[in-house]
Amino acid sequence: MSEPRKRGYPSTINDEQVIELYNSGNTQQQVADVIGCSQAAVSSILKRNAINTSTRTINYLEVKKLAEIMTNQSLVAEAVGCTQSHISRVLNPIKNGRVIRERKPGRPVVIKSEDVLKLHHEGLLTVEISRELGCSQGWVSTLLNRAGIKTGKRGRNPQAIRNAERVIDFITTNGGSLREVLEHLKLNVCAETVRRLAKKRGIPIHNYRYFRMTSGVWVVHKAEFKGHFPKPGDYLLPIKCTHCGFETELLKRELEKQNPVSCPECGRS
């Protein structure tokens, strides 16, 4: 008397055929479609033969590039060789360039150490790499530590420090807010790294927000301003006439006018 057939496991399916199809890159559903059975039956066969089906790794960067080209996630899943739900879980944490939900703690199955190392060598910090790949900062640090790269305060990315120095040099020379300078230079460094380095060197970069600002013959010649005078949002700026060198102070809203006040020394505006 033959053994009773187990639920979800058709006795007419060849285990070797299922394993061969699955190892060739097909998903469980694709294998089920080829053989003509349910996905649960394919899953039972794979588990019976001690084949792990829960940690199939896919390249996140590849998925992200394909998602920008293909509008349908099912097409991306077919190209990569996984399920559509897997693609949805990979792409869901990132939308419009920002993380919209936190990933559950633990080992992400879609992050490769090669991707982390590549972004690290480009100058990104661990927090920036985690946002780019959609994983936790702790997992990024773990992968970098396994590769022999120190993270944290003692192992800060030297490329990020060099980029922060370039940002500080640009601000102290040309002025401008930190956000505007980062958008202009397009360097792989976060604002917090720049602030920490500037504070360590005793450079108040927030005072350079209107430094080198020009209007007519006037230029803001000092990296300082008096805030909230005479009303919130207005500032009193130290200005200098570029023609005769006369120095005075003027409200920011007056300096931004199309025709600012004339210089009382040389009469030019």
Side-chain angles (χ1 to χ4, degrees):
M1 182 176 179
S2 61
E3 295 181 359
R5 192 179 70 178
K6 297 181 181 179
R7 183 179 180 182
Y9 182 77
S11 59
T12 58
I13 299 178
N14 189 328
D15 290 13
E16 296 180 357
Q17 183 182 7
V18 173
I19 296 172
E20 181 181 358
L21 289 172
Y22 183 77
N23 290 336
S24 63
N26 295 300
T27 64
Q28 294 183 32
Q29 186 59 52
Q30 291 173 337
V31 175
D33 293 338
V34 173
I35 296 178
C37 64
S38 65
Q39 182 180 350
V42 175
S43 178
S44 298
I45 294 174
L46 295 175
K47 290 180 180 179
R48 181 183 181 182
N49 289 272
I51 296 178
N52 192 356
T53 61
S54 60
T55 59
R56 172 169 285 191
T57 303
I58 62 175
N59 190 316
Y60 175 82
L61 297 179
E62 180 184 357
V63 172
K64 189 176 179 181
K65 291 179 181 179
L66 290 175
E68 295 175 354
I69 301 174
M70 304 176 181
T71 57
N72 194 338
Q73 291 186 2
S74 61
L75 297 177
V76 179
E78 184 177 352
V80 176
C82 66
T83 62
Q84 182 178 346
S85 60
H86 196 169
I87 296 297
S88 179
R89 287 195 300 271
V90 171
L91 297 176
N92 187 40
I94 293 183
K95 186 177 182 180
N96 298 329
R98 63 184 182 90
V99 178
I100 60 175
R101 72 173 176 86
E102 294 290 338
R103 292 183 62 91
K104 294 181 179 180
R107 178 177 178 177
V109 297
V110 296
I111 306 300
K112 286 188 175 182
S113 58
E114 292 83 359
D115 299 335
V116 174
L117 292 174
K118 178 182 177 182
L119 295 175
H120 175 78
H121 293 319
E122 290 178 1
L124 272 68
L125 300 178
T126 54
V127 62
E128 296 171 322
I129 296 174
S130 65
R131 291 171 182 170
E132 178 69 20
L133 299 180
C135 65
S136 67
Q137 185 178 354
W139 178 238
V140 174
S141 299
T142 299
L143 292 178
L144 292 176
N145 290 334
R146 289 180 181 178
I149 299 175
K150 294 182 179 180
T151 58
K153 187 174 181 180
R154 295 184 178 179
R156 202 170 300 282
N157 194 333
Q159 182 61 41
I161 298 298
R162 287 192 290 269
N163 290 339
E165 291 174 347
R166 291 180 58 187
V167 173
I168 293 174
D169 291 341
F170 185 92
I171 291 177
T172 54
T173 303
N174 305 287
S177 66
L178 178 57
R179 183 181 65 178
E180 293 172 347
V181 173
L182 288 175
E183 292 177 354
H184 173 71
L185 296 179
K186 300 184 183 303
L187 296 175
N188 289 326
V189 61
C190 65
E192 186 60 29
T193 301
V194 179
R195 292 191 188 98
R196 285 197 298 262
L197 183 61
K199 183 178 180 180
K200 183 178 180 180
R201 297 186 176 182
I203 302 175
I205 57 174
H206 59 278
N207 287 348
Y208 287 85
R209 182 174 182 179
Y210 303 110
F211 181 59
R212 298 298 183 186
M213 179 180 176
T214 59
S215 179
V217 297
W218 300 109
V219 60
V220 180
H221 66 291
K222 294 181 181 179
E224 59 183 41
F225 58 89
K226 300 177 182 178
H228 305 311
F229 177 84
K231 61 180 181 179
D234 209 347
Y235 305 98
L236 195 61
L237 306 176
I239 58 175
K240 179 180 180 180
C241 178
T242 56
H243 181 70
C244 65
F246 178 78
E247 297 182 9
T248 184
E249 291 182 337
L250 189 66
L251 291 175
K252 173 178 171 289
R253 55 186 170 87
E254 295 293 335
L255 188 64
E256 290 178 336
K257 290 183 178 180
Q258 187 174 3
N259 296 315
V261 296
S262 301
C263 175
E265 189 73 20
C266 63
R268 299 194 179 189
S269 60

